[in-house]
Amino acid sequence: MTPTDQTRRGSSRAVADALREQIRSGLLGPGAVLPTGRELAEAFQVAPKTAAAGVDILKAEGLVVGEQGGRRRVRSVRRITWNLSEFERGRRRDSHALDDWATAIKDAGRQPRETIVKTVEPAGSQIAEWLRIMQDDEVVKRARIRWVDDEPFQISTSYFPGTIARGTLLDEDREVSVPGGVLRHIGHPQTRVRDEISTRMPTPEETELLQLPVGTPVLQHVRIGYGTEGPVRVMVTIAPGDRNLLVYEMEV
C-alpha cells in the first residue's frame, strides 16, 4: 500500500480519504481485512494514533467494521431489491406459508425470516392521522423484524383500526398469511395505496434491532392502504439505507 501525496500531510483525515478511495475503487473490496494499525502507520508515514483515527472516521461512515481481536474489515453488504410497484399489487404472491414480501425474497434466491409481536393499543396522533381515526382509538399493531439470510433487513410495523381487525386473523399473536392477503380474506381489501418515503438517522432502539454500524442512515417507508371506505392499514418500514434498494416501475 503506497500513501498518496495527500496522506503525507500526516492527518487522520488524509489517511481516511486515501483508504476511502481504495474502497470505492475496489482495491480494498467488500470483506477485505485492513492492515494493522502499525502497518497503516508505516505505509502512510504517520503516528499509530493518527492511523487509528483515520480508520475510526471510516467506521463512523459505515464503510469499515471492527471485529473481535481488533481486526477491521471493509463492510460487505448484499442488498435486496424491494420493488414497491409490485409489492402487494395485483396478483399477490402470498401463500399459506409466506407473505408477499417473504415470497419475493425467496424468489430472489435469498432466505427470508420474520418475527412478529402483536399488541392492541390506543392510536398515537400520527397513526390516527394516517388511518383517519380519533387519537386513542383502538388499533391492532403487528410489529415485525424481517430477516434475510439471518441478517436483520427491516423493521416493519402495521397498524389496523380495531373496528376492522379485532376478532380476525390479524388479532392473532402469530404470523398469518393467506393467498390474496389477510385484508382481502377478512373482507377489507386494499384498493389503492399511498407511499411516503423519507431518510433519517436511526434511533438507538433501531440501531440495536437492525445491528447497524455507526453512521448508517435508514429509510422510512410508510404505506397507507385504502379500502372502499377509507384507510384500512398503515405500514411503517424502517430499512437500513445500505441494505435496501427501493424500486418503482411506472408506465409513461
Side-chain angles (χ1 to χ4, degrees):
M1 182 181 299
T2 302
T4 65
D5 291 338
Q6 187 180 32
T7 63
R8 292 191 178 97
R9 298 199 309 262
S11 71
S12 58
R13 175 60 65 181
V15 172
D17 289 346
L19 290 173
R20 187 188 303 106
E21 180 58 32
Q22 293 183 37
I23 292 171
R24 289 177 175 170
S25 69
L27 186 60
L28 286 172
V33 178
L34 267 63
T36 66
R38 179 178 297 177
E39 290 169 340
L40 286 173
E42 292 177 355
F44 292 116
Q45 301 175 19
V46 296
K49 288 185 178 180
T50 301
V55 174
D56 286 342
I57 291 172
L58 299 184
K59 289 173 67 176
E61 294 175 359
L63 294 176
V64 170
V65 294
E67 297 182 341
Q68 289 184 349
R71 292 186 307 180
R72 285 79 52 90
R73 287 184 182 272
V74 177
R75 193 170 179 208
S76 178
V77 178
R78 186 183 173 198
R79 294 189 300 182
I80 62 168
T81 297
W82 193 18
N83 192 326
L84 289 162
S85 53
E86 295 296 327
F87 180 53
E88 301 183 326
R89 281 194 65 192
R91 189 173 182 179
R92 293 177 55 120
R93 294 160 290 186
D94 308 83
S95 67
H96 288 292
L98 299 172
D99 64 12
D100 189 78
W101 180 88
T103 300
I105 297 299
K106 190 80 171 178
D107 289 347
R110 310 286 294 273
Q111 185 60 45
R113 177 166 64 90
E114 297 180 300
T115 58
I116 187 167
V117 175
K118 190 262 330 187
T119 56
V120 178
E121 56 189 56
S125 59
Q126 182 61 80
I127 299 302
E129 179 181 339
W130 280 326
L131 289 176
R132 297 181 188 172
I133 59 178
M134 298 295 294
Q135 186 172 341
D136 295 330
D137 278 0
E138 188 177 73
V139 294
V140 172
K141 173 183 174 182
R142 298 180 66 84
R144 288 186 179 90
I145 299 179
R146 291 171 166 166
W147 301 71
V148 178
D149 301 332
D150 290 325
E151 183 178 5
F153 265 63
Q154 295 179 356
I155 300 169
S156 185
T157 307
S158 293
Y159 301 84
F160 305 87
T163 54
I164 289 176
R166 292 291 271 161
T168 72
L169 287 177
L170 294 171
D171 204 19
E172 297 186 11
D173 194 14
R174 63 182 180 91
E175 183 58 65
V176 292
S177 179
V178 294
V182 177
L183 281 168
R184 181 176 299 277
H185 178 79
I186 66 174
H188 294 278
Q190 296 178 115
T191 57
R192 66 183 179 92
V193 297
R194 170 186 168 87
D195 285 356
E196 300 177 3
I197 300 173
S198 58
T199 59
R200 59 175 172 81
M201 297 307 293
T203 66
E205 181 183 16
E206 290 165 351
T207 296
E208 180 178 358
L209 289 174
L210 292 170
Q211 302 173 15
L212 299 177
V214 175
T216 305
V218 293
L219 303 166
Q220 177 171 292
H221 172 264
V222 178
R223 171 161 288 187
I224 306 167
Y226 296 86
T228 56
E229 298 181 1
V232 293
R233 183 200 66 176
V234 60
M235 179 176 63
V236 181
T237 301
I238 308 301
D242 61 344
R243 299 179 203 170
N244 294 261
L245 174 64
L246 308 189
V247 173
Y248 285 89
E249 299 176 3
M250 294 171 285
E251 295 182 359
V252 295

